[in-house]
Amino acid sequence: MAVWIQAQQLQGDALHQMQSLYGQHFPIEVRHYLSQWIESQPWDSVDLENAQDEFKAKRMLDGLVQQLQKKADHQMGEDGFLLKIKLGHYADQLKSTYDRCPLELVRCIRHILYMEQRLLQEANSSSSPMGGMMVSMSQKYQQISQAFEELRALTQDTENDLRKLQHNQEYFIIQYQESLRIQAQLTSLATLPPADRLLREPTLQSKRATVEAWLTREANTLQKYRLDLAEKHQNTLALLRKQQTAILDDELIQWKRRQQLAGNGGPPEGGLDVLQSWCEKLAEMIWQNRQQIRRAEHLRQQLPIPGPIEEMLTELNSTVTDIISTLVTSTFIIEKQPPQVLKTQTKFAATVRLLVGGKLTVHMNPPQVKATIVSEQQAKALLKNENTRNDSSGEILNNNCVMEYHQTTGTLSAHFRNMSLKRIKRSDRRGAESVTEEKFTILFESQFSVGGNELVFQVKTLSLPVVVIVHGSQDNNATATVLWDNAFAEAGRVPFLVPDKVMWPQLCEALNMKYKAEVQSNMGLSEGNLVFLAQKAFSSSSINPEDYRNLAISWSQFNRESLPGRSFTFWQWFDGVMELTKKHLKPHWNDGAILGFVNKQQAQEMLMSKPNGTFLLRFSDSEIGGITIAWVAENPGKTGERMVWNLMPFTTKDFTIRSLSDRISDLNHLLFLYPDRAKDIVFSKYYTPPLSKAVDGYVKPEIKQVVPEFTTASPDPSGGNPAFMDQTASPAVGHPQGYGIYSNMGDSMLDGDGEFDLDDTMDVARHVEELLRRPMEAQWSGPQS
C-alpha cells in the first residue's frame, strides 16, 4: 500500500507530527496530489555531497514542477478553479525556492519520506515493507532509527526488570515482617508455663529458621537483581550517549555548518523537524531511564542491603544527569541568525529555539531569553566558563523575549523581532586590523526548569560572528570579514579564529558560492573566470589553472593590501562586480552575454580575429563596479588597419540613466556579440519600447548613447541592413596618426588608453533632458494648457 494512503490514517499526535513536516518549503498539497509520482522517484540515487549530481537533482525538480503544472491544467469546472490556481502557484514557488539549490529539494523530500515511514512504523508497532520507495532511506538515518529501536527495547527491558525487582522486594518485606512476628511470638513464650513453651517453641523455631533461610537467600537474589539492573542501565546510558553524540556532534553540527555556509550564499540549511524529532526521542528515553534509576534508588533506601549497589546508583544518577544536561544545553540553538553585518541604529531580528522544550515540559513555565552583544575576547572567556556576568560590548534595545510554545508544530522558540544596536564599545585593535575586521557575537542566554523544577539549567548560545558598522560605506569590507570567517571556520574553534592563509581552490569555492547567490544565477564562475581572478590576486600572467591549485592566498592579499597600481583590494573589486551584476546585469549574465572576467589584452586577441563590429562586455580593471564595451573596427587614421576600442566603463550611476541593452542598441557600429551572435537577437528583448507620440503639446525627452567618433546611420526602415559607420569623416573629429592598439588620442574625450570618457557628455545629456522637460513653444505644439 502506498505510504501516503497509510499516512492519512494516522491519528492524534502522530498526525500532528506528520503535518508539521510540511510548510512553505514543501506544501502538503503537493505531497497529496503527486503522492504516486513522488514515491516512485529514485531520490536516493542522488549523492547530496557530490556537486556533480546537482544536474540530476535539477531534472527531478523540473519533473516535479512539470507534474504540478500538468495536474493544475487538468483541473476543470468551478470546483477545480481554485485548485488550479493553487497548484500553479506551488509550481512557481518550488521552482523559485530550489532552482539554484535542487539538492536541497532532494534532501527535503528524503526527510519527509523517512519521517512518514517512521511514524507509520510506530503506529503499527512493527516494521512493515513499504515497497521499493523505502529502500531510498539513507544508511545514516537507518542507523539512527535502529539505535532508537534498540534503546526502546532496552528501556522496556529495564522497566520490566524494575517492576519485577519491586514485586520481589515487596514480597521480601512481607516475609521479613513475618520473621519479626515469629520472633515476637518466641519472645512471648517466656511468659507461658514451661509445658506450653516446650510444646510450641520447636514449631516456632523451625518456622523462624525456614523464613530466615529464605530471607538470606532472597536478599542475595535481590542484590543480584539490583546489580544486574544497574549494569543494564550502564549499557543503556552508554548507548544513549553514543546516539546523542551521533545526533548532536554530527547531525546538529552539520546543520549549523550549513547554516553558516548559507550566510555565504550556500543552500538553505534545511528544516529542524527531523532533528527535533530525534532530540525529543532522546529526551524522552533519557528521562525514562532517569526515572527508573531514581526508583531503583528509592527501593534501595526502602531496603538497604550491604554491597556496591549504592555507589553504582550514585554514578548512574550522575551520568544520566550529565547526559540530559548536554542534551538541553546543546539543543538551545539559533534558528534564525542575526545579520552578520550589523549596522547600529538599525532594526534586526533573530530566533532561538529549544529542540527538546516540548518533551521536557519547559514550556509549562515559559523561560525568558536575553540577548547581549559581546566581543571576541568575552566570547572566549564564556567558553572557558570564566565569570563574565554583566559584561557586554554594547547596548541592544528590545533584547528580552519570552519563549512561546506552538502547539501545532510542537516548537518552543523566542522570536526577537525588533532588536536594535544602540551603541557599540570597540576594543583596542591589533596592528593593521580595521574596524571592519573586528568580530562580535550575540549571546543568547536563559534558565530552564526541567521536569517540575527537578533540574535547573543555565543555557547560553553564541551567534555566528557579526561585524558592526556605522555607515553603509563599511559594508563591503565587513562582508569580506564575514565571508572569510564563514568559509574557513573550523568546528570547535576558539572564537573566532580563522586561518590567515587558505588554498586558492578553497577561496574559489567560497567566491563562486557567494557570486551565484548574490547574482541569483545558476551560472557560477567558470574555470576561465577563476583563472582571471587568480591572475588578479597573484599578479600573474599564467593562464594554466594548474599553476594556481597549490598556491595559498592570505587575508592581506584578499582584503587588506591594494592591488598593484590600484587604490582598492581584490575583494573590493570583486564585490563591485557582484553589486553591478546583481543590480543591473543579471539577465545578461544569465543569458551568457557577458564574458566579464577578461582583461584588455585578452579582449584584443579575441576580437582581432573577428569581423568589424564584433564586441564583448568585460568588467573594468581600473574601476570598482564598472563594465566596458570592447569592439573591433577600422582605424580611421590608417586605411586598412583595424584596432580594438574600449569604451569608458559604465557604473551603477550610468545604468540608472539608461540600461546596458539600450546603450548597446544606440551604438549602431556594434553588430555582433562575441563570438558571432547578432546583437539584436541577444539584447532586443530588453530594449525599452519606443516613446509614445506627443500628447497635449508635450514631447517626451529621450537620452541616446552617442560616440562621436563612430557616427552611424539609422537602420534602413525598409528592413535592410543598417549602415555600420558613416564613411564621411566628421570635421569636428580629428583623426590622429600613428595609432597603436590603445593609441593616445588628441581628443579630450579619450583617456590615455584610448577609452572614451562619457562623464562630461553625460552631464550635458542630463542638462538637455532637464530642458526638454519644459513645455514646448507655441509654434511647435499650438495652444498650451
Side-chain angles (χ1 to χ4, degrees):
M1 185 185 296
V3 177
W4 184 242
I5 295 176
Q6 297 182 69
Q8 294 175 71
Q9 310 305 315
L10 292 171
Q11 302 291 328
D13 185 57
L15 179 60
H16 286 306
Q17 289 187 54
M18 190 268 287
Q19 290 172 335
S20 69
L21 297 173
Y22 299 94
Q24 288 188 344
H25 62 287
F26 196 83
I28 195 169
E29 291 90 341
V30 176
R31 178 68 174 98
H32 180 75
Y33 288 103
L34 297 185
S35 59
Q36 186 174 354
W37 184 87
I38 289 172
E39 292 176 23
S40 68
Q41 299 307 300
W43 304 104
D44 198 48
S45 67
V46 179
D47 184 359
L48 297 176
E49 307 303 324
N50 186 353
Q52 294 181 350
D53 272 14
E54 187 169 320
F55 178 73
K56 188 185 295 184
K58 180 69 165 58
R59 284 190 305 179
M60 299 178 85
L61 167 62
D62 292 339
L64 177 67
V65 171
Q66 288 172 8
Q67 289 293 322
L68 265 178
Q69 292 171 334
K70 182 179 178 182
K71 195 76 175 178
D73 292 338
H74 287 170
Q75 303 305 313
M76 305 295 290
E78 184 176 343
D79 294 337
F81 176 72
L82 291 179
L83 181 58
K84 181 175 185 175
I85 293 176
K86 183 176 285 189
L87 293 179
H89 169 72
Y90 288 149
D92 294 337
Q93 177 181 311
L94 290 172
K95 180 75 172 175
S96 173
T97 302
Y98 295 108
D99 198 47
R100 65 184 181 88
C101 52
L103 290 174
E104 280 308 303
L105 174 72
V106 176
R107 189 192 305 276
C108 170
I109 293 179
R110 277 190 188 178
H111 285 187
I112 287 172
L113 294 176
Y114 165 74
M115 288 300 297
E116 286 178 352
Q117 191 245 6
R118 183 184 68 81
L119 290 169
L120 288 171
Q121 285 182 338
E122 291 178 357
N124 297 329
S125 300
S126 63
S127 60
S128 58
M130 294 294 173
M133 189 276 296
M134 285 304 109
V135 179
S136 67
M137 283 173 36
S138 70
Q139 185 178 6
K140 188 190 316 180
Y141 287 4
Q142 284 181 332
Q143 290 172 348
I144 291 176
S145 179
Q146 290 168 1
F148 273 128
E149 290 303 316
E150 185 178 353
L151 282 166
R152 188 189 300 278
L154 290 174
T155 302
Q156 186 60 51
D157 186 39
T158 50
E159 177 64 28
N160 294 338
D161 286 354
L162 186 58
R163 290 175 181 174
K164 182 179 179 182
L165 174 62
Q166 182 176 351
H167 174 77
N168 289 349
Q169 182 167 312
E170 289 171 351
Y171 187 68
F172 180 91
I173 291 173
I174 292 172
Q175 292 300 89
Y176 180 72
Q177 292 298 324
E178 177 66 13
S179 171
L180 293 178
R181 188 181 66 80
I182 294 171
Q183 182 60 43
Q185 289 177 342
L186 284 170
T187 303
S188 67
L189 290 179
T191 62
L192 296 177
D196 291 342
R197 186 168 67 244
L198 288 173
L199 181 66
R200 301 178 60 181
E201 187 173 31
T203 302
L204 290 173
Q205 291 282 10
S206 174
K207 187 181 290 187
R208 183 180 70 175
T210 300
V211 171
E212 286 183 349
W214 184 89
L215 287 173
T216 301
R217 207 168 49 247
E218 191 63 18
N220 291 331
T221 302
L222 286 174
Q223 185 73 313
K224 184 176 185 304
Y225 280 171
R226 289 177 176 179
L227 291 173
D228 289 347
L229 180 61
E231 288 178 357
K232 285 185 176 181
H233 274 131
Q234 286 177 337
N235 293 335
T236 302
L237 294 186
L239 184 56
L240 272 171
R241 194 186 288 277
K242 180 181 178 182
Q243 179 80 328
Q244 182 164 287
T245 299
I247 293 171
L248 299 183
D249 293 356
D250 294 340
E251 297 300 316
L252 185 56
I253 292 298
Q254 287 180 24
W255 181 88
K256 289 182 177 180
R257 179 57 180 156
R258 291 197 298 272
Q259 185 186 52
Q260 189 172 28
L261 289 176
N264 274 5
E269 60 269 30
L272 287 165
D273 294 336
V274 173
L275 272 171
Q276 174 161 319
S277 71
W278 288 342
C279 291
E280 287 179 339
K281 189 167 282 190
L282 271 174
E284 191 175 5
M285 291 187 175
I286 294 170
W287 198 255
Q288 288 176 1
N289 279 273
R290 182 177 184 273
Q291 296 304 97
Q292 289 180 8
I293 293 167
R294 287 166 64 85
R295 285 161 55 197
E297 173 64 21
H298 180 66
L299 290 176
R300 188 200 66 79
Q301 292 173 354
Q302 272 188 333
L303 183 63
I305 301 175
I309 189 64
E310 181 176 1
E311 183 179 338
M312 292 179 70
L313 286 173
T314 301
E315 183 180 345
L316 284 172
N317 195 55
S318 174
T319 301
V320 76
T321 301
D322 179 63
I323 293 175
I324 200 167
S325 175
T326 300
L327 179 64
V328 172
T329 54
S330 299
T331 55
F332 180 60
I333 63 171
I334 303 173
E335 182 176 13
K336 179 185 176 184
Q337 291 282 341
Q340 289 188 262
V341 176
L342 191 57
K343 189 178 179 183
T344 56
Q345 311 294 334
T346 303
K347 187 175 79 170
F348 68 95
T351 301
V352 294
R353 179 169 166 181
L354 182 65
L355 297 180
V356 294
K359 289 295 181 182
L360 296 181
T361 64
V362 172
H363 60 279
M364 301 303 288
N365 292 311
Q368 187 172 80
V369 185
K370 180 182 179 181
T372 312
I373 189 164
V374 297
S375 68
E376 186 173 334
Q377 292 301 320
Q378 290 165 340
K380 290 177 183 177
L382 279 168
L383 292 189
K384 293 178 182 177
N385 291 320
E386 296 177 3
N387 186 14
T388 59
R389 185 163 295 279
N390 299 323
D391 282 353
S392 71
S393 291
E395 180 182 354
I396 298 178
L397 303 179
N398 304 317
N399 66 328
N400 286 285
C401 187
V402 175
M403 299 196 85
E404 299 175 354
Y405 183 70
H406 304 275
Q407 189 71 39
T408 54
T409 59
T411 59
L412 182 72
S413 56
H415 300 276
F416 292 84
R417 295 182 174 88
N418 296 293
M419 288 192 289
S420 177
L421 183 59
K422 183 178 180 181
R423 61 178 183 85
I424 190 68
K425 181 172 65 177
R426 298 191 182 276
S427 60
D428 294 332
R429 292 185 294 280
R430 299 162 297 206
E433 186 181 82
S434 68
V435 294
T436 54
E437 295 179 42
E438 185 178 6
K439 300 173 191 174
F440 297 87
T441 180
I442 309 295
L443 166 67
F444 295 92
E445 51 188 339
S446 185
Q447 177 175 295
F448 298 144
S449 299
V450 175
N453 294 325
E454 284 186 35
L455 296 172
V456 178
F457 296 109
Q458 301 285 341
V459 296
K460 58 189 69 173
T461 186
L462 297 173
S463 75
L464 293 173
V466 300
V467 178
V468 177
I469 64 173
V470 297
H471 193 274
S473 62
Q474 298 172 311
D475 184 83
N476 62 347
N477 289 326
T479 302
T481 301
V482 167
L483 180 138
W484 191 275
D485 191 280
N486 286 346
F488 310 123
E490 297 179 357
R493 62 171 173 173
V494 175
F496 287 108
L497 293 182
V498 285
D500 183 63
K501 289 185 177 182
V502 297
M503 300 307 292
W504 173 249
Q506 290 177 278
L507 182 61
C508 288
E509 184 179 352
L511 293 176
N512 188 41
M513 181 183 294
K514 185 70 173 176
Y515 189 85
K516 289 171 69 175
E518 289 295 315
V519 180
Q520 298 178 349
S521 171
N522 288 324
M523 287 189 58
L525 301 174
S526 67
E527 185 174 66
N529 298 155
L530 295 173
V531 167
F532 172 87
L533 292 174
Q535 292 174 326
K536 185 174 287 291
F538 297 109
S539 300
S540 169
S541 59
S542 172
I543 60 173
N544 185 0
E546 296 299 324
D547 291 344
Y548 303 105
R549 295 199 188 281
N550 296 319
L551 292 183
I553 183 169
S554 68
W555 166 253
S556 292
Q557 289 173 289
F558 181 67
N559 194 46
R560 189 176 283 171
E561 301 168 355
S562 295
L563 292 171
R566 305 298 183 194
S567 59
F568 46 80
T569 66
F570 172 84
W571 164 257
Q572 289 167 350
W573 181 88
F574 183 78
D575 184 58
V577 164
M578 284 196 303
E579 281 297 302
L580 181 71
T581 306
K582 177 173 69 174
K583 292 179 179 178
H584 302 287
L585 309 177
K586 187 189 306 181
H588 308 305
W589 174 265
N590 289 333
D591 289 346
I594 298 176
L595 290 179
F597 300 94
V598 177
N599 61 37
K600 277 186 179 180
Q601 185 62 34
Q602 289 173 311
Q604 176 188 337
E605 294 171 359
M606 295 164 69
L607 291 171
M608 287 300 289
S609 62
K610 298 297 177 181
N612 287 345
T614 303
F615 67 100
L616 59 80
L617 300 163
R618 66 176 188 85
F619 297 123
S620 171
D621 282 317
S622 59
E623 186 167 354
I624 294 179
I627 189 169
T628 186
I629 302 174
W631 74 96
V632 62
E634 295 292 338
N635 182 345
K638 286 189 177 181
T639 303
E641 181 179 294
R642 301 191 324 146
M643 62 181 292
V644 172
W645 304 73
N646 291 276
L647 210 56
M648 281 293 285
F650 301 118
T651 63
T652 289
K653 180 178 66 174
D654 300 306
F655 292 137
T656 57
I657 300 170
R658 190 157 178 80
S659 70
L660 175 65
S661 55
D662 285 342
R663 291 175 183 272
I664 291 173
S665 174
D666 293 341
L667 302 177
N668 289 338
H669 60 274
L670 303 181
L671 300 179
F672 304 104
L673 178 67
Y674 183 90
D676 55 8
R677 290 189 288 173
K679 75 171 182 181
D680 286 343
I681 293 177
V682 180
F683 295 101
S684 61
K685 57 185 173 182
Y686 304 112
Y687 293 164
T688 302
L691 295 175
S692 59
K693 296 180 179 180
V695 179
D696 295 332
Y698 292 95
V699 178
K700 292 184 178 180
E702 184 177 12
I703 293 178
K704 290 282 188 179
Q705 176 85 35
V706 176
V707 178
E709 280 74 3
F710 288 83
T711 306
T712 59
S714 298
D716 186 347
S718 64
N721 293 327
F724 162 61
M725 182 173 165
D726 204 340
Q727 299 303 310
T728 305
S730 169
V733 179
H735 298 297
Q737 301 300 312
Y739 278 94
I741 293 299
Y742 302 101
S743 308
N744 291 323
M745 301 187 73
D747 198 297
S748 61
M749 296 179 65
L750 300 173
D751 72 358
D753 289 327
E755 295 186 330
F756 293 97
D757 188 346
L758 295 181
D759 286 347
D760 294 334
T761 57
M762 292 311 298
D763 286 340
V764 173
R766 294 186 194 99
H767 180 64
V768 171
E769 180 182 10
E770 289 301 317
L771 292 174
L772 289 172
R773 291 184 189 278
R774 301 172 185 174
M776 300 295 290
E777 294 297 333
Q779 62 265 32
W780 286 93
S781 57
Q784 298 178 11
S785 58

